[in-house]
Amino acid sequence: MIENGLILTGSEAELLSRALSEVKTKAFEESEVNLDDTQALDTLVACFKTAAKEGQEKERCHSYLSPLRKRLVLGTLLDRASGADRR
Protein backbone atom coordinates (compact mmCIF):
# COMPACT_ATOMS: atom_id res chain seq x y z
CA MET A 1 0.00 0.00 0.00
CA ILE A 2 1.32 3.44 -0.96
CA GLU A 3 0.55 6.35 1.34
CA ASN A 4 0.81 10.04 0.68
CA GLY A 5 2.53 12.07 3.33
CA LEU A 6 2.97 15.69 4.25
CA ILE A 7 5.93 17.01 6.18
CA LEU A 8 5.50 20.28 8.01
CA THR A 9 8.39 22.12 9.57
CA GLY A 10 8.99 25.35 11.42
CA SER A 11 6.14 27.83 11.60
CA GLU A 12 3.77 25.60 9.60
CA ALA A 13 4.18 22.78 12.13
CA GLU A 14 3.73 25.21 15.03
CA LEU A 15 0.59 26.66 13.46
CA LEU A 16 -0.94 23.22 12.93
CA SER A 17 -0.01 22.18 16.44
CA ARG A 18 -1.73 25.24 17.91
CA ALA A 19 -4.82 24.70 15.74
CA LEU A 20 -5.10 21.05 16.82
CA SER A 21 -4.67 22.10 20.44
CA GLU A 22 -7.52 24.60 20.08
CA VAL A 23 -9.77 21.95 18.50
CA LYS A 24 -8.99 19.51 21.32
CA THR A 25 -9.71 22.14 23.97
CA LYS A 26 -12.98 23.19 22.33
CA ALA A 27 -14.13 19.56 21.93
CA PHE A 28 -13.41 18.88 25.59
CA GLU A 29 -15.21 22.05 26.71
CA GLU A 30 -18.31 21.29 24.64
CA SER A 31 -18.65 17.53 25.08
CA GLU A 32 -15.93 16.43 27.52
CA VAL A 33 -14.37 14.23 24.82
CA ASN A 34 -10.59 13.85 24.58
CA LEU A 35 -9.42 13.82 20.97
CA ASP A 36 -6.08 12.59 19.72
CA ASP A 37 -4.21 14.48 16.96
CA THR A 38 -5.83 12.47 14.14
CA GLN A 39 -9.35 13.03 15.45
CA ALA A 40 -8.67 16.72 15.98
CA LEU A 41 -7.34 17.03 12.43
CA ASP A 42 -10.39 15.22 11.04
CA THR A 43 -12.65 17.59 12.97
CA LEU A 44 -10.75 20.63 11.73
CA VAL A 45 -10.93 19.45 8.11
CA ALA A 46 -14.66 18.72 8.46
CA CYS A 47 -15.25 22.27 9.74
CA PHE A 48 -13.38 23.75 6.78
CA LYS A 49 -15.36 21.58 4.33
CA THR A 50 -18.63 22.67 5.93
CA ALA A 51 -17.63 26.32 5.79
CA ALA A 52 -16.59 25.99 2.15
CA LYS A 53 -19.88 24.30 1.28
CA GLU A 54 -21.88 27.04 3.01
CA GLY A 55 -19.83 29.65 1.19
CA GLN A 56 -20.63 28.04 -2.16
CA GLU A 57 -24.34 27.97 -1.32
CA LYS A 58 -24.24 31.67 -0.43
CA GLU A 59 -22.42 32.46 -3.68
CA ARG A 60 -25.07 30.61 -5.68
CA CYS A 61 -27.80 32.51 -3.87
CA HIS A 62 -26.08 35.85 -4.44
CA SER A 63 -25.40 35.09 -8.09
CA TYR A 64 -29.11 34.42 -8.56
CA LEU A 65 -30.30 37.45 -6.61
CA SER A 66 -27.83 39.89 -8.05
CA PRO A 67 -29.30 39.98 -11.61
CA LEU A 68 -32.80 40.01 -10.15
CA ARG A 69 -31.93 42.91 -7.86
CA LYS A 70 -30.44 44.81 -10.80
CA ARG A 71 -33.60 44.34 -12.86
CA LEU A 72 -35.79 45.50 -9.99
CA VAL A 73 -33.70 48.61 -9.47
CA LEU A 74 -33.65 49.32 -13.20
CA GLY A 75 -37.43 48.83 -13.40
CA THR A 76 -37.95 51.18 -10.49
CA LEU A 77 -35.76 53.85 -12.09
CA LEU A 78 -37.56 53.49 -15.43
CA ASP A 79 -40.94 53.76 -13.72
CA ARG A 80 -39.82 56.91 -11.94
CA ALA A 81 -38.54 58.39 -15.18
CA SER A 82 -41.74 57.64 -17.05
CA GLY A 83 -43.82 58.98 -14.13
CA ALA A 84 -41.84 62.22 -14.20
CA ASP A 85 -42.52 62.59 -17.95
CA ARG A 86 -46.27 62.34 -17.34
CA ARG A 87 -46.27 65.26 -14.91
Side-chain angles (χ1 to χ4, degrees):
M1 183 166 126
I2 299 174
E3 293 186 24
N4 290 332
L6 176 66
I7 298 173
L8 298 175
T9 58
S11 62
E12 293 171 338
E14 181 63 29
L15 180 64
L16 180 58
S17 177
R18 282 187 279 156
L20 294 179
S21 179
E22 288 289 326
V23 170
K24 290 177 191 179
T25 302
K26 192 72 169 172
F28 186 77
E29 288 174 356
E30 291 181 0
S31 58
E32 296 185 5
V33 174
N34 290 316
L35 301 178
D36 63 13
D37 284 345
T38 303
Q39 292 169 324
L41 183 59
D42 288 341
T43 302
L44 187 61
V45 169
C47 288
F48 277 113
K49 285 182 179 179
T50 301
K53 185 183 239 184
E54 289 174 356
Q56 289 173 352
E57 289 173 2
K58 285 180 183 178
E59 285 178 17
R60 275 188 266 145
C61 181
H62 288 300
S63 66
Y64 171 74
L65 290 178
S66 183
L68 177 61
R69 183 174 294 126
K70 288 177 184 175
R71 283 183 289 195
L72 289 173
V73 169
L74 182 58
T76 302
L77 292 174
L78 291 174
D79 283 343
R80 287 183 185 170
S82 63
D85 291 339
R86 289 184 209 155
R87 293 181 188 173

